[in-house]
Amino acid sequence: MMDKLANMAMFVRVVELGSFSAAAEVSEVSATMVAKHIRMAEERLGARLLHRTTRRQHLTEVGTLYYERCKQVLAEVALAESSASELQATPRGQLRIVAPVSFGSHSLVPVLTEFMALYPEVTVDLTLSNGKPDLIHEGYELGIVIGTVDDPNLVARPLCSYRRVLAASPAYLERYGQPKHPEELQQHSCLGLSYWRHHDSWHLLGPDGERFKVAVQGRFKANGGDALRIAAIGGVGIVLQPETLLTEDLHAGRLVPVLPDWSYIPSPVSLVYAQDRRPTAKLRHMIDFLIERFGR
């Protein structure tokens, strides 16, 4: 195999430099050795690769095809070797990441700080956005997507599902009562995300897999989960937000679970990145780290 690769490399060099003597000079071998490489390749293939005269040489039809294939093979070999070296390299440089606002702020940032403590030569540029990211055109190396991923140019690695729970302040529940079934939410003030297409109905999943869709309305809407969380703490109504966003308030008693056996139908979460044939050390290490922390 090594002889084949050496023959291929010499053949490509002869074609690109235009002569045996030029290839010999660059390779620091004799022209006779260059000719031997070409002859070995021709004998193995059973076909002439070059038409040679005393003044010039040109590719045969077989030689033209073989030249293109040789370049591809040699490029793959170079890529494999450089990738192997890259895997052993120390992660360094900047990583641009995009993630949903609540997940990014409350779940992702603590994990990113752990990663940066482990790899001090890595810097992170995190964008928080609830829009669907366009990694390739916007220049992000990694993204967190809640929902389905249908872009064929992206690799999607599944993470733990996104769970949203219901909560309200003790004062609100003391005044209006704790609902016993999702249908009772119709008589309550339910805080909604103004940009969410399901803001007027909640699709809930029960303890035995029962699904229930309930129409909701409320006195307050906002385009951010933190705003709804604060409104709920203030007693304005019942909030439906990611568990990670409400955990501290629930533990502190500022909020109380509502219908604790029910949650919004979980959404798939994916770690996405471009189909890069040569991921850098920083990217590969970050992918592995996030899969370890958030993977199923």
Side-chain angles (χ1 to χ4, degrees), residues 18 32 63 68 70 73 76 86 109 114 139 150 180 191 243 263:
T32 301
E68 295 299 329
C70 284
V73 169
E76 289 292 338
E86 185 67 49
V109 168
E114 286 183 53
D150 52 13
K180 302 294 191 295
L191 312 181
E243 191 172 31
S263 65

Side-chain angles (χ1 to χ4, degrees), residues 14-15 17-20 50-53 55-59:
V14 167
V15 173
L17 295 177
S19 70
F20 282 29
L50 292 165
H51 286 306
R52 300 183 290 278
T53 65
R55 294 187 176 182
R56 59 192 296 264
Q57 63 184 31
H58 61 273
L59 289 167

Side-chain angles (χ1 to χ4, degrees), residues 123-170:
T123 61
V124 174
D125 181 350
L126 174 64
T127 297
L128 299 177
S129 172
N130 288 324
K132 207 156 192 177
D134 185 343
L135 264 67
I136 294 174
H137 292 100
E138 295 175 3
Y140 297 111
E141 291 160 280
L142 277 177
I144 304 290
V145 174
I146 297 174
T148 57
V149 178
D150 52 13
D151 188 337
N153 297 311
L154 297 179
V155 176
R157 303 284 297 275
L159 304 179
C160 289
S161 298
Y162 203 54
R163 189 168 184 264
R164 301 177 180 89
V165 298
L166 297 136
S169 70

Side-chain angles (χ1 to χ4, degrees), residues 238-257:
I238 297 174
V239 68
L240 172 65
Q241 280 297 298
E243 191 172 31
T244 181
L245 177 62
L246 306 181
T247 296
E248 289 186 14
D249 297 313
L250 290 168
H251 286 166
R254 293 184 292 269
L255 292 175
V256 176

Side-chain angles (χ1 to χ4, degrees), residues 106-250:
H106 296 272
S107 296
L108 183 60
V109 168
V111 174
L112 293 179
T113 59
E114 286 183 53
F115 184 87
M116 289 187 290
L118 287 173
Y119 303 106
E121 294 184 60
V122 173
T123 61
V124 174
D125 181 350
L126 174 64
T127 297
L128 299 177
S129 172
N130 288 324
K132 207 156 192 177
D134 185 343
L135 264 67
I136 294 174
H137 292 100
E138 295 175 3
Y140 297 111
E141 291 160 280
L142 277 177
I144 304 290
V145 174
I146 297 174
T148 57
V149 178
D150 52 13
D151 188 337
N153 297 311
L154 297 179
V155 176
R157 303 284 297 275
L159 304 179
C160 289
S161 298
Y162 203 54
R163 189 168 184 264
R164 301 177 180 89
V165 298
L166 297 136
S169 70
Y172 176 88
L173 294 175
E174 183 178 347
R175 182 174 182 181
Y176 296 103
Q178 171 77 263
K180 302 294 191 295
H181 189 272
E183 64 183 354
E184 296 178 30
L185 292 173
Q186 296 178 84
Q187 282 73 56
H188 285 266
S189 174
C190 296
L191 312 181
L193 281 170
S194 53
Y195 67 83
W196 198 14
R197 68 179 185 275
H198 297 310
H199 67 272
D200 58 351
S201 64
W202 288 350
H203 301 241
L204 302 178
L205 183 68
D208 299 319
E210 178 187 357
R211 297 189 176 212
F212 193 90
K213 178 181 177 181
V214 58
V216 295
Q217 56 183 351
R219 297 174 54 205
F220 184 78
K221 293 180 183 177
N223 68 343
D226 266 314
L228 298 178
R229 179 184 66 85
I230 293 170
I233 292 171
V236 177
I238 297 174
V239 68
L240 172 65
Q241 280 297 298
E243 191 172 31
T244 181
L245 177 62
L246 306 181
T247 296
E248 289 186 14
D249 297 313
L250 290 168

Side-chain angles (χ1 to χ4, degrees), residues 72-95:
Q72 293 174 11
V73 169
L74 294 170
E76 289 292 338
V77 171
L79 179 59
E81 292 183 345
S82 61
S83 296
S85 299
E86 185 67 49
L87 284 174
Q88 300 178 54
T90 301
R92 59 172 54 89
Q94 179 176 270
L95 270 171

